[in-house]
Amino acid sequence: MKDVLFALGWVQSQKIDLDPALRVPLATALADYALDVHEMLAGLDNEYIVKAGDNKSPWEADGTYHLSVWNNVLTKTLRAVAVAPQAYALLRMAETHTVAAQLAAVPADATGVDLSLQPPKNARALGILDGIADVAVSRDAQEARKWHTTVFDRLLTEQTDQSESAGRLTATWLQEIKNTPEQRRAERLRAQGLDMARTWAQTRTMDEPTRQDLLTKVENSARNAHEEVKH
């Protein structure tokens, strides 16, 4: 998989000409590496930064093999894949499950950086996916609407296991999207990091100043990441 990403994304051009027939299969393959994609998008884990070079092999941890590539290699590839709305929806749903799992894994008694790190990190990864969507979507308004409709049709068919906290977080977010008027769903999608962090914060013992400070960091993280990709 690492060789495939470098073969596609290690080019001077900002735009990759990817065979349309490869977009969904490549997204499906990337979804199998959802945690790795999440860490590469967030760009905060030093192990993923150190091992991103083309001469660095995948590594094993916790019984699973992991991979990392340079940020520009990944984002160029994701832009090419995301032109297909079905492919983007696969990537977005995989990231959603990862975000929910990361939030659910924060210890109940966490304070300080242990409490405040994960929500902005999640928002950064989601914000980058927002920017990738903006680049991938056609500038034609009708085509853009069709793209978003296909994405949401896929997202809203997702089934989640609500017996676990991660599944409940995902299900709550999907219900919020479903309850949002169709013409506003694209805008609501860009608030995913904030929406999921807010739902998560409501389940925890947290004073109001701490909660508000955390949600502000989440919002800023998503916005900065979104703008970073667009430019």
Side-chain angles (χ1 to χ4, degrees), residues 30-71:
L30 285 167
D32 287 338
Y33 292 89
L35 179 59
D36 296 328
V37 172
H38 170 76
E39 293 296 347
M40 288 186 281
L41 289 172
L44 299 180
D45 189 306
N46 188 60
E47 187 165 27
Y48 281 84
I49 296 170
V50 170
K51 296 182 178 178
D54 62 309
N55 60 340
K56 301 292 185 180
S57 299
W59 70 98
E60 187 176 4
D62 301 322
T64 304
Y65 279 97
H66 299 277
L67 63 86
S68 181
V69 298
W70 294 325
N71 180 265

Side-chain angles (χ1 to χ4, degrees), residues 82-158:
V83 173
Q86 301 92 335
Y88 183 81
L90 279 168
L91 294 171
R92 189 80 188 207
M93 202 65 244
E95 177 61 21
T96 298
H97 284 302
T98 303
V99 162
Q102 295 294 312
L103 289 174
V106 176
D109 59 352
T111 58
V113 69
D114 292 333
L115 176 70
S116 65
L117 174 63
Q118 196 61 54
K121 181 178 177 180
N122 289 344
R124 175 170 172 75
L126 291 166
I128 291 175
L129 286 181
D130 291 332
I132 286 169
D134 286 351
V135 174
V137 173
S138 171
R139 296 193 181 278
D140 179 82
Q142 185 174 355
E143 288 299 315
R145 281 195 296 273
K146 286 171 59 178
W147 188 94
H148 281 107
T149 297
T150 302
V151 168
F152 289 118
D153 284 348
R154 167 62 184 86
L155 294 180
L156 294 176
T157 61
E158 185 73 7

Side-chain angles (χ1 to χ4, degrees), residues 164-181:
E164 298 178 348
S165 55
R168 291 193 293 275
L169 274 170
T170 300
T172 298
W173 175 72
L174 288 171
Q175 188 62 48
E176 289 171 352
I177 290 291
K178 188 174 184 178
N179 293 343
T180 301

